[in-house]
C-alpha cells in the first residue's frame, strides 16, 4: 500500500514537449512510472520520449486511459491546464510549475475541490511511491520502499530528508512535496489523513518552514487524531522577519509564522522535532522507537 | 513588489475609490505650487517611502521632524518638504538605518468622524482573498489583533465574483456605519476587492479609512503590494517599481533569476532550493557560524547564473568563507560542478570554498570537481560541510 499513486497509476504529462516536461518524462519512465501520454496543444499526433502526444487532455484520457496528471505547463497557462485536467476527469493532479500567480490558484482550487480531485503543488517536487510510481522531478535513486510517509513544503530539503532516511534503512511508503506557494492544493493535514489510513505507513516525517500556519494545524490534528509516530523539521529559524525566503509562502508577517512558534506546538503535540537538518532521519528513528 | 502611497492612491482612484486630492512632488518649490493648486486652508505633506509608521517616524538629520506633517501655507509646505526631501526617515519598519525620502505627497487635509481599518490579503487557509475590517482604524492591525481580536471582522472574497452585496451589509452593521456610511461602503468595499483581484495584489491596506462628516468613506492612507508571480501580465509594474527602495544586491540577484537576501554574518551560502537554503543558514548557526546571506540558485541554474551568484556573494566584503550546498534534482550535479569551476575561474574566489554535492549524477559531479585542481574543500554530508566551513571561516577571521 501507499497513498495517492501506485504501480497502476497511469500518468499524463501536460507540457510534455517543453524542456523540463520532456526531461522529466524520460526520468519518470526510466524509474518505471507508467507514463501513457502527453498533452501539448498543437502537437497532437506526434511522439515525445516514446509516448503519444495529444492536443487535449480529454483525448489523452480517452485514448490512453490516463488517471493522473503531471503538469509542467508554464505559469501563464498552468491554471487553465489544471481546469482542463479536472474537466477531463483526472482526479490526481501534480503541479510542478513554479511562479503561478497566487490568485490563479485561488480561482481554480474551488473547481478542483468540487470535482473531488486532489491537487499536489504547485511549485513542488511531486509525489513518489518508491519502486512503483514517480510523478515529479525528485531523483529516484535516493528513495527506498518502506514504512515512512514524508510530507514537505520544500523540494531539495525533502531529498535531503529522504536520503537520510534511506541511509538509516528507513524506507518510504510515499513522499509528497506540498509546494512552496501561499495557496497550495493539499495541506499537511490532508496528507496525514491519508497516511493514517495507509497500513504500510508506520510513521510520518513532516518538513515545514516559516510562513503561514499549516504546521500549527498539523500539530493540532496530530495531537488529537493522528495515531502514528511523527518527526519534523522546520526550516528558517535564522530567517529575518518580513523577507520572502525564496518560496513565495516563506515569509514571517506581523510576527506570525516563525519557526520557533511551529517547533513549540509540534513539540507539544508529541512530535519529535529535529534541531538540525542533518538530524531529520535520526529524529524519525527516535520517534519510531518512542512509539505512540 | 511594493509601491508608494501616491501610486497606490492613483490606482485606487481608477476604481473610483475616494482618495484625497493631492500631488507627489520631488522639490520644495513644487510642494509650494502643489499647495496653491489644492486651494485649501490646510494640507498634509507625507514622505513617500516603502515603509509604514511614517507619521510617528523621525528624521535622522532632525529628530523633531516627523514623516507626516500638516501645513497651512505654500511657504510652510515648501519648508516642510525641504526638511524631508533628501533626508533619512527612520520608522519602526525601516530599521535604524532609515530610508532617504525622494518624494513627498502634498494632499488636501480632511477631517472625519471616525477612522476604520480596511485591508485585503490572501488567506492561505481559506485559499482565497479575505477582507479584514475593524472600527479601530489608524493603529496597526496587529496591535488590535493582539489586544481585541473580537474587534476584527473577516469576509472571504470570491476570486471570480468579488465582494457580494450582503457581505457589505454585514460589515456595515458590524462597523456601526449609518445609512449614508452603508451607501458609501456599498461602492467603496467592492471597489477595493475589484482592485485587489484585477491588479494581482498580495496586500491592499487602507488604514485609516476615514468616515467623513457626511458619512462617505475616504482612503486617507493606502498601501499596495503586488504578487511577483503575476508580473508577466502587468508590464505597467515596471513603471511603478522604485529601485531606490530595494537592496541593490537583491535587485541584481533577481535580474539573474536568483533569490537572495542579505544577512549580517560572514559565511556566504550558495544553495539550490529555498527550503535547503534556509536549512543551510540554520545549520551554520547551529555550528557556531553566522550566515551572510540566503541564496537560492533555483532549479535550473546554469553557468552564467552560478557565476553571477558567486559575484553577488563575494561582493559582500564581510564574507570570509563560502558554503555551496547542492542536492541535485532538476539540477544535475555535473551541471553545478562545471558551473562552479567556470565561476571560480571567472570570478576569482579568494576565500575558502566548501562544497557539498548530493543527488542526480553526483559521482560524475564530484569527479569533475576533484579533477579540476581548484582549491575546493569537499564535504561528505551536511554536518561535515557545516563544521568545515565554520572552521575555515574562523581560521580566515583570525588569520
Amino acid at each position: 500500500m501507499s497513498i495517492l499513486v501506485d504501480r497502476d497509476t497511469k500518468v499524463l504529462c501536460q507540457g510534455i514537449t517543453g524542456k523540463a516536461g520532456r526531461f522529466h518524462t524520460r526520468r519518470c519512465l526510466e524509474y518505471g512510472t507508467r507514463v501513457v501520454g502527453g498533452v501539448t496543444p498543437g502537437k497532437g499526433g506526434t511522439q515525445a520520449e516514446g509516448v503519444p502526444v495529444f492536443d487535449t487532455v480529454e483525448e489523452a484520457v480517452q485514448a490512453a486511459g490516463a488517471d493522473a496528471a503531471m503538469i509542467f505547463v508554464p505559469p501563464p497557462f498552468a491554471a487553465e491546464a489544471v481546469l482542463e485536467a479536472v474537466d477531463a476527469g483526472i482526479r490526481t493532479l501534480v503541479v510542478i510549475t513554479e511562479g503561478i500567480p497566487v490568485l490563479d490558484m485561488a480561482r481554480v482550487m474551488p473547481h478542483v475541490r468540487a470535482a473531488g480531485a486532489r491537487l499536489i503543488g504547485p511549485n513542488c517536487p511531486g509525489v513518489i511511491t518508491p519502486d512503483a510510481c514517480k510523478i515529479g522531478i525528485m531523483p529516484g535513486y535516493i528513495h527506498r520502499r518502506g514504512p515512512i510517509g514524508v510530507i514537505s513544503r520544500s523540494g531539495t530539503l525533502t531529498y535531503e530528508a529522504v536520503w537520510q532516511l534511506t541511509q538509516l534503512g528507513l524506507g518510504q511508503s510515499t513522499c509528497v512535496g506540498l509546494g512552496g506557494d501561499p495557496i497550495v492544493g493539499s495541506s499537511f493535514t490532508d496528507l496525514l489523513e491519508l497516511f493514517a489510513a495507509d497500513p504500510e505507513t508506520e510513521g510520518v516525517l513532516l518538513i515545514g518552514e516559516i510562513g503561514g500556519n499549516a504546521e500549527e494545524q498539523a500539530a493540532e490534528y496530530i495531537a488529537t487524531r493522528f495515531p502514528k509516530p511523527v518527526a519534523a523539521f522546520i526550516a528558517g529559524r535564522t530567517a529575518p522577519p518580513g523577507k520572502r525566503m525564496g518560496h513565495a509562502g516563506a515569509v514571517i508577517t506581523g510576527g506570525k509564522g516563525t519557526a520557533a512558534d511551529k517547533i513549540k506546538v509540534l513539540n507539544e503535540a508529541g512530535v519529535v522535532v529535529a534541531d538540525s537538518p542533518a538530524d531529520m532521519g535520526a529524529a524519525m528513528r527516535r520517534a519510531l522507537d518512542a512509539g505512540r | 513588489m511594493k509601491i508608494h502611497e501616491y501610486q497606490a492612491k492613483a490606482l485606487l482612484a481608477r476604481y473610483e475609490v475616494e482618495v484625497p486630492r493631492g500631488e507627489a512632488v520631488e522639490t520644495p518649490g513644487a510642494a509650494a505650487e502643489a499647495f496653491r493648486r489644492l486651494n485649501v486652508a490646510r494640507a498634509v505633506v507625507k514622505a513617500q517611502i516603502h515603509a509604514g509608521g511614517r507619521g510617528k517616524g523621525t528624521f535622522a538629520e532632525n529628530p523633531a521632524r516627523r514623516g507626516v506633517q500638516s501645513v497651512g501655507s505654500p511657504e510652510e509646505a515648501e519648508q516642510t518638504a525641504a526638511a524631508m526631501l533628501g533626508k533619512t526617515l527612520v520608522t519602526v519598519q525601516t530599521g535604524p538605518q532609515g530610508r532617504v525620502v525622494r518624494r513627498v505627497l502634498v494632499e488636501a487635509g480632511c477631517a472625519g468622524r471616525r477612522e476604520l481599518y480596511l485591508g485585503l490579503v490572501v488567506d492561505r487557509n481559506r485559499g482565497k482573498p479575505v477582507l479584514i475590517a475593524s472600527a479601530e482604524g489608524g493603529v496597526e492591525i496587529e496591535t488590535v489583533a493582539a489586544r481585541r481580536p473580537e474587534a476584527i471582522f473577516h469576509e472571504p472574497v470570491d476570486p471570480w465574483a468579488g465582494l457580494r452585496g450582503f457581505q457589505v451589509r454585514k460589515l456595515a452593521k458590524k462597523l456601526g456605519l449609518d445609512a449614508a456610511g452603508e451607501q458609501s461602503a456599498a461602492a467603496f468595499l467592492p471597489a477595493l476587492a475589484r482592485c485587489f483581484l484585477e491588479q494581482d495584489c498580495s496586500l491592499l491596506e487602507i488604514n485609516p479609512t476615514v468616515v467623513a462628516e457626511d458619512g462617505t468613506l475616504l482612503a486617507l492612507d493606502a498601501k499596495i503590494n503586488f504578487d511577483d508571480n503575476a508580473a508577466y501580465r502587468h508590464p505597467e509594474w515596471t513603471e511603478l517599481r522604485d529601485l531606490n527602495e530595494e537592496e541593490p544586491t537583491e535587485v541584481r540577484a533577481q535580474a539573474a533569476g536568483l533569490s537572495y537576501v542579505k544577512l549580517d554574518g560572514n559565511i556566504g551560502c550558495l544553495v539550490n532550493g529555498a527550503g535547503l537554503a534556509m536549512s543551510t543558514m540554520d545549520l551554520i548557526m547551529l555550528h557556531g557560524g553566522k550566515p551572510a546571506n540566503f541564496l537560492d540558485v533555483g532549479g535550473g541554474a546554469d553557468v552564467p547564473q552560478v557565476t553571477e551568484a558567486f559575484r553577488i556573494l563575494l561582493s559582500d566584503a564581510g564574507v570570509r568563507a563560502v558554503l555551496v550546498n547542492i542536492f541535485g534534482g532538476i539540477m544535475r550535479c555535473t551541471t553545478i560542478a562545471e558551473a562552479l569551476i567556470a565561476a571560480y575561474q571567472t570570478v576569482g574566489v579568494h576565500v575558502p570554498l566548501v562544497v557539498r554535492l548530493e543527488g542526480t549524477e553526483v559521482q560524475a559531479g564530484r569527479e569533475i570537481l576533484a579533477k579540476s585542481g581548484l582549491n575546493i574543500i569537499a564535504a561528505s554530508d551536511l554536518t561535515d560541510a557545516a563544521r568545515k566551513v565554520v572552521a575555515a571561516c574562523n581560521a580566515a577571521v583570525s588569520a
Side-chain angles (χ1 to χ4, degrees):
Chain A
M1 284 289 284
S2 57
I3 66 165
L4 296 169
V5 297
D6 58 28
R7 213 174 285 282
D8 298 324
T9 305
K10 285 187 255 175
V11 181
L12 170 76
C13 177
Q14 290 175 258
I16 193 170
T17 55
K19 196 176 157 212
R22 200 178 273 276
F23 176 77
H24 289 290
T25 295
R26 182 161 71 243
R27 290 293 170 129
C28 290
L29 283 164
E30 284 165 6
Y31 192 76
T33 305
R34 293 178 67 187
V35 183
V36 296
V39 170
T40 299
K43 301 262 174 78
T46 62
Q47 295 252 317
E49 304 302 324
V51 303
V53 179
F54 302 90
D55 285 319
T56 67
V57 179
E58 185 177 51
E59 285 177 292
V61 169
Q62 282 166 0
D67 53 22
M70 168 166 78
I71 299 179
F72 280 98
V73 174
F77 315 106
E80 176 96 8
V82 167
L83 293 176
E84 185 182 356
V86 170
D87 171 75
I90 302 263
R91 293 294 171 261
T92 303
L93 293 85
V94 181
V95 187
I96 310 297
T97 310
E98 178 178 1
I100 300 174
V102 177
L103 290 175
D104 282 9
M105 286 313 297
R107 290 185 182 105
V108 302
M109 277 313 297
H111 294 265
V112 174
R113 290 204 186 91
R118 190 175 295 279
L119 187 145
I120 304 293
N123 189 12
C124 82
V127 180
I128 183 169
T129 294
D131 302 337
C133 181
K134 161 175 130 90
I135 304 182
I137 60 178
M138 63 291 277
Y141 77 91
I142 61 173
H143 301 81
R144 176 174 148 176
R145 191 65 180 258
I148 306 300
V150 177
I151 319 171
S152 172
R153 281 172 67 189
S154 174
T156 47
L157 182 59
T158 318
Y159 312 159
E160 181 70 49
V162 167
W163 182 237
Q164 290 176 18
L165 289 172
T166 296
Q167 287 187 316
L168 290 172
L170 292 170
Q172 305 90 43
S173 52
T174 301
C175 306
V176 186
L178 301 174
D181 281 356
I183 296 182
V184 289
S186 302
S187 67
F188 282 116
T189 312
D190 293 335
L191 275 302
L192 282 167
E193 283 172 9
L194 299 183
F195 279 127
D198 173 34
E200 184 185 344
T201 303
E202 291 168 18
V204 173
L205 176 60
L206 299 184
I207 299 152
E209 63 188 28
I210 55 165
N213 68 345
E215 292 81 0
E216 285 85 342
Q217 289 180 333
E220 194 189 330
Y221 175 76
I222 292 164
T224 53
R225 277 165 290 168
F226 192 70
K228 302 175 182 181
V230 182
F233 175 73
I234 304 294
R237 276 202 232 201
T238 49
K243 285 280 189 183
R244 167 178 155 166
M245 305 304 277
H247 288 156
V251 55
I252 299 168
T253 43
K256 294 281 171 61
T258 65
D261 288 349
K262 293 172 188 293
I263 291 166
K264 181 168 176 282
V265 292
L266 286 167
N267 271 323
E268 285 166 2
V271 174
V272 177
V273 183
D275 277 335
S276 162
D279 191 44
M280 294 184 286
M284 188 72 246
R285 174 89 268 164
R286 292 198 297 277
L288 289 176
D289 291 345
R292 190 177 172 89
Chain B
M1 176 183 142
K2 295 178 179 175
I3 61 172
H4 287 293
E5 176 195 2
Y6 77 92
Q7 295 168 323
K9 283 179 170 169
L11 195 56
L12 288 166
R14 278 168 44 197
Y15 287 85
E16 296 177 352
V17 171
E18 199 75 35
V19 297
R21 286 187 300 127
E23 272 181 62
V25 298
E26 294 177 20
T27 65
E33 284 306 308
F35 185 92
R36 284 195 191 92
R37 270 195 293 274
L38 284 174
N39 193 25
V40 288
R42 291 207 75 79
V44 183
V45 180
K46 306 180 81 175
Q48 299 294 290
I49 57 169
H50 284 184
R54 293 168 299 163
K56 292 195 181 96
T58 57
F59 284 89
E61 293 83 357
N62 181 356
R65 289 272 182 182
R66 305 263 169 185
V68 177
Q69 279 180 253
S70 172
V71 296
S73 69
E75 294 72 29
E76 204 185 344
E78 183 167 352
Q79 287 161 9
T80 304
M84 293 183 179
L85 290 163
K87 306 295 192 295
T88 305
L89 180 58
V90 182
T91 81
V92 286
Q93 291 185 12
T94 61
Q97 77 281 6
R99 293 272 177 79
V100 175
V101 178
R102 291 183 166 82
R103 245 179 237 99
V104 296
L105 175 61
V106 183
E107 219 174 50
C110 54
R113 282 185 298 191
R114 299 171 53 196
E115 294 191 341
L116 311 175
Y117 174 91
L118 294 172
L120 284 133
V121 292
V122 171
D123 182 326
R124 297 178 189 220
N125 297 330
R126 289 186 176 93
K128 58 176 68 167
V130 62
L131 176 67
I132 304 167
S134 174
E136 299 182 18
V139 292
E140 277 193 43
I141 195 69
E142 286 86 0
T143 313
V144 183
R147 228 175 25 213
R148 284 196 352 105
E150 71 281 5
I152 298 176
F153 313 110
H154 296 86
E155 280 297 326
V157 176
D158 184 316
W160 296 98
L163 197 69
R164 309 274 186 180
F166 75 87
Q167 295 181 295
V168 175
R169 292 192 292 277
K170 275 165 71 183
L171 283 173
K173 276 263 165 9
K174 291 176 181 170
L175 294 171
L177 298 179
D178 59 16
E182 186 175 331
Q183 199 184 353
S184 177
F188 196 92
L189 298 184
L192 294 184
R194 216 158 37 240
C195 178
F196 186 90
L197 294 172
E198 288 179 10
Q199 300 297 323
D200 278 303
C201 299
S202 57
L203 172 78
L204 191 166
E205 195 175 51
I206 312 293
N207 188 25
T209 301
V210 165
V211 185
E213 286 305 330
D214 64 1
T216 54
L217 305 189
L218 177 88
L220 194 60
D221 197 359
K223 182 175 174 184
I224 287 181
N225 296 350
F226 294 128
D227 171 15
D228 294 327
N229 284 357
Y232 72 86
R233 61 188 177 201
H234 294 282
E236 73 280 8
W237 289 357
T238 323
E239 299 284 310
L240 296 174
R241 191 166 174 193
D242 184 352
L243 293 176
N244 288 318
E245 293 283 335
E246 300 178 37
E247 173 74 28
T249 40
E250 290 175 18
V251 174
R252 202 174 139 190
Q254 203 187 0
L258 307 166
S259 180
Y260 173 87
V261 177
K262 190 177 159 17
L263 304 169
D264 56 4
N266 54 9
I267 297 177
C269 313
L270 192 163
V271 188
N272 70 323
L276 192 60
M278 270 187 277
S279 306
T280 303
M281 289 160 37
D282 297 348
L283 183 75
I284 288 171
M285 196 82 114
L286 203 65
H287 286 266
K290 286 189 79 182
N293 64 279
F294 167 93
L295 197 159
D296 171 14
V297 292
D302 49 19
V303 173
Q305 273 184 314
V306 175
T307 306
E308 182 67 359
F310 266 117
R311 287 208 177 102
I312 290 167
L313 278 187
L314 298 171
S315 72
D316 180 348
V319 169
R320 309 305 287 268
V322 171
L323 172 58
V324 173
N325 184 15
I326 301 290
F327 208 116
I330 299 184
M331 193 194 300
R332 283 163 267 191
C333 290
T334 45
T335 309
I336 190 78
E338 281 159 10
L340 282 175
I341 291 166
Y344 195 104
Q345 287 163 344
T346 313
V347 180
V349 180
H350 53 269
V351 295
L353 176 64
V354 178
V355 178
R356 184 274 178 145
L357 285 184
E358 197 58 72
T360 308
E361 296 178 14
V362 62
Q363 286 312 331
R366 285 180 184 164
E367 278 164 29
I368 291 171
L369 287 182
K371 282 183 194 152
S372 71
L374 297 179
N375 186 18
I376 292 172
I377 305 166
S380 56
D381 61 29
L382 282 182
T383 303
D384 187 41
R387 283 194 186 126
K388 281 177 173 162
V389 79
V390 171
C393 180
N394 289 342
V397 169
S398 56

